[in-house]
Amino acid sequence: MRQADMATTIEARSDVFAALTAAVGPDALVRDADELRYYSQDVFSDGALALAVFRPTDKAMLARGIAAATAQGIAVVPRGGGMSYTGGYLADQPGALLIDTGAMNRILDINEEDMTVTVEAGCTWAQLHQALKPRRLRTLAWGTLSGIRATVGGGMSQNGVFWGAAGGTVVDAALCFEVVLADGRILSTGGDFFRPFGPDITGLFAADCGALGVKATITLKLVRDGAAFAYGSFAFPDAAAYFGAMSEIAREGLASENFGFDPYLQAQRVKRDSLTKDAKSLVNMMKAQGSVLKALKEGAKVVAAGRAFLDDVPFSLHLIAEGRHQSAVDADMMAIEAIAVRHGGKPIENTIPKILRANPFPPVNSMVGPGGERWVPVHGLLPHSRLVEGWNRIQALFADERAAMEAQGIAAGAMLAAVSRQTCLIEPVFFWPDALEPIHCRSIEPDHLAKLGRFPPNPEAHALVARLRSDIIGIFRDLDAAHLQVARAYPLAAASDDAAWGLLRAIKRAVDPDNLMNPGSLGL
């Protein structure tokens, strides 16, 4: 929407602003044109321009604002930390009230006796990690790599995976939510120490992408953080060998994190990462655990290894074993190595898992390519038995589209990760020359942004990436894949049993009869 059109829209809805201001006060509403543009785009796409951004400071204000908006027939869309790329908070029509819960970021209670923690929705995973770390606690699954910006509320709505993936996705860590419904009522989904008591109401609102309500508070399960760690990295000659090892290690439950990269994405990460800075962070982390000598040794090994250890490595698998006793995790890593070697892998320097565990929530500079290219993933969750078929079909698509991709400067790699004992993630990632948007420029570290190249707008390449993502989603659909961050990208209706989809639509009508809660999300 042009700025003049936006001004006309705002003027025409002066009655709405009067009602909202009366409910929440003028300081909670943002109407600046640049801010509205920033908040109306995600990492991949631009959405319809928001009418205003609502920044509540507590759940009571959140409820008042939502009730005031929907009473005026205004749709409300929750944003989370803004790290989505599936249209989760991009309104289908202009004039929605976009909710930024960033000011609702308090940690309300850490209950070490009952092993639970309660936070407001705007608390980031990094903030929660820092609060729990001195107590040697963490949540069951404890965030995504974007956790320096990604929020707990966003994770509960979109779902996500990385840290603690042996225990499943982030929503598996949830005990209960307080959710604001479309009419402003605050619904508690269950008890704060056990899930479920009867039908799983918490699960109903988990991964709903904001289609059923806006999360105000979240209570999560706690576990003891590891006191001992072991790290392993292995090179594999091809995808079949890689998946064979990753799947067997996952089934055995030997690693808390079990992930890796194909050759292209591996090369991108090596270009981007600063090993000197990361080695310093590694030393600081290990010093904090009281092992100065070990810290210096491990940091020196990282620096000495440099980047050469990934030369001529087709597929790399990286693992972290976590536990109470060093002898136990060392034994687990020995078992992991035996599995890797049996599948054709060979040990390489374990720099990557060490650095990632030392810096679990790095700056989100990787939301663009190392040369300033645009970046976007697409993914599917598959059982072990379908991984190789899924991978081969995606590679066949890329082979068919190679000429078109090369003409537009589009390249693709993949991250691959185990998620629980049953499931693995295949996440193709695209890079292409295109203009950066405000969301990129405001999220990346300024000194890193200053070093990046810049490209002119490239709508043709963007459109081809969008089509390729759609084609990959089609491949995943053929294989009955599941997805995180369903939002407006993945075909939930097509993947659902007819009776189940009808039930979900009935629930949507019950909690949001006027379809004003993030309309279009989940395909509802």
Side-chain angles (χ1 to χ4, degrees):
M1 183 183 289
R2 294 174 304 172
Q3 194 159 333
D5 294 334
M6 183 192 68
T8 301
T9 300
I10 291 175
E11 183 62 29
R13 302 316 308 265
S14 59
D15 54 334
V16 174
F17 286 117
L20 288 171
T21 300
V24 302
D27 293 342
L29 298 171
V30 178
R31 298 166 60 182
D32 175 77
D34 289 338
E35 289 295 286
L36 294 184
R37 183 185 173 212
Y38 165 70
Y39 277 99
S40 298
Q41 57 187 203
D42 72 3
V43 174
F44 183 56
S45 302
D46 288 332
L49 200 70
L51 181 70
V53 177
F54 171 36
R55 292 175 173 164
T57 56
D58 56 43
K59 67 183 179 183
M61 181 188 284
L62 175 63
R64 292 197 307 272
I66 289 174
T70 57
Q72 297 287 323
I74 298 299
V76 293
V77 178
R79 180 174 183 268
M83 294 291 99
S84 172
Y85 40 79
T86 57
Y89 57 86
L90 300 185
D92 293 339
Q93 300 293 329
L97 180 69
L98 195 143
I99 301 172
D100 173 13
T101 58
M104 291 177 56
N105 64 355
R106 289 175 288 270
I107 297 172
L108 301 175
D109 180 59
I110 301 174
N111 187 330
E112 293 192 57
E113 184 174 8
D114 295 334
M115 294 292 280
T116 65
V117 60
T118 301
V119 303
E120 291 181 317
C123 176
T124 66
W125 291 104
Q127 179 187 349
L128 179 58
H129 174 66
Q130 287 302 315
L132 294 174
K133 185 178 176 181
R135 303 172 187 244
R136 262 202 343 104
L137 295 169
R138 64 169 176 82
T139 55
L140 182 64
W142 49 286
T144 57
L145 288 172
S146 58
I148 195 169
R149 286 182 172 268
T151 64
V152 178
M156 294 300 110
S157 294
Q158 293 271 61
N159 207 357
V161 65
F162 193 82
W163 294 114
T169 68
V170 295
V171 300
D172 294 319
L175 282 165
C176 65
F177 308 133
E178 286 184 301
V179 181
V180 180
L181 301 180
D183 61 4
R185 286 178 295 160
I186 300 176
L187 168 75
S188 176
T189 65
D192 60 0
F193 66 93
F194 183 79
R195 168 190 169 193
F197 179 18
D200 188 4
I201 304 301
T202 296
L204 181 64
F205 286 89
D208 74 332
C209 295
L212 302 181
V214 180
K215 290 165 188 67
T217 69
I218 299 100
T219 299
L220 300 161
K221 304 171 188 176
L222 292 176
V223 297
R224 284 290 169 200
D225 199 6
F229 299 89
Y231 306 90
S233 293
F234 303 90
F236 290 88
D238 54 46
Y242 174 95
F243 284 125
M246 183 174 71
S247 292
E248 186 173 346
I249 292 164
R251 287 191 294 267
E252 294 298 321
L254 291 167
S256 55
E257 287 81 29
N258 176 354
F259 63 95
F261 312 105
D262 82 329
Y264 185 82
L265 189 57
Q266 187 169 268
Q268 296 297 90
R269 293 194 65 85
V270 169
K271 288 180 191 176
R272 182 165 43 218
D273 292 341
S274 167
L275 292 181
T276 302
K277 183 164 69 173
D278 290 340
K280 181 178 179 182
S281 298
L282 175 66
V283 170
N284 289 339
M285 181 275 289
M286 299 185 83
K287 281 182 178 178
Q289 294 184 346
S291 178
V292 178
L293 181 60
K294 186 176 180 183
L296 294 173
K297 264 181 74 176
E298 294 297 333
K301 283 172 65 178
V302 166
V303 174
R307 302 163 193 263
F309 70 95
L310 287 174
D311 290 349
D312 302 318
V313 172
F315 288 81
S316 65
L317 177 65
H318 309 282
L319 304 112
I320 303 171
E322 174 183 336
R324 296 177 181 177
H325 304 289
Q326 194 62 49
S327 59
V329 296
D330 288 343
D332 284 343
M333 191 53 63
M334 288 178 63
I336 286 170
E337 181 170 351
I339 291 170
V341 170
R342 188 161 63 247
H343 285 274
K346 63 177 183 179
I348 57 175
E349 182 59 47
N350 55 8
T351 295
I352 287 176
K354 285 178 186 173
I355 285 177
L356 276 179
R357 190 57 174 79
N359 310 279
F361 302 115
V364 292
N365 298 336
S366 58
M367 69 188 295
V368 300
E373 306 91 341
R374 288 286 295 272
W375 163 97
V376 71
V378 63
H379 76 271
L381 293 159
L382 290 169
H384 303 295
S385 57
R386 298 179 207 148
L387 291 171
V388 173
E389 181 182 358
W391 177 262
N392 288 342
R393 289 186 60 178
I394 292 167
Q395 299 313 301
L397 171 68
F398 290 155
D400 290 343
E401 298 285 350
R402 181 172 293 116
M405 292 172 67
E406 289 178 352
Q408 295 294 341
I410 298 169
M415 187 179 87
L416 313 159
V419 182
S420 79
R421 283 176 162 84
Q422 293 75 33
T423 307
C424 292
L425 172 87
I426 296 178
E427 185 174 73
V429 178
F430 293 93
F431 299 86
W432 74 100
D434 201 350
L436 300 183
E437 297 287 354
I439 190 169
H440 305 103
C441 298
R442 287 176 56 166
S443 300
I444 296 167
E445 288 180 305
D447 62 337
H448 184 77
L449 180 65
K451 299 173 186 175
L452 296 177
R454 293 301 183 94
F455 300 93
N458 193 344
E460 293 83 4
H462 193 282
L464 179 54
V465 169
R467 180 172 67 77
L468 292 170
R469 291 177 82 222
S470 180
D471 290 345
I472 291 172
I473 291 170
I475 291 170
F476 282 132
R477 179 83 305 276
D478 287 346
L479 296 170
D480 292 325
H483 301 280
L484 314 168
Q485 302 187 42
V486 173
R488 291 170 172 81
Y490 297 105
L492 183 60
S496 298
D497 174 84
D498 288 344
W501 182 248
L503 177 60
L504 183 58
R505 293 184 66 185
I507 292 167
K508 170 72 168 175
R509 289 192 296 270
V511 298
D512 182 20
D514 297 320
N515 195 27
L516 294 173
M517 187 62 66
N518 203 3
S521 184
L522 300 186
L524 293 169

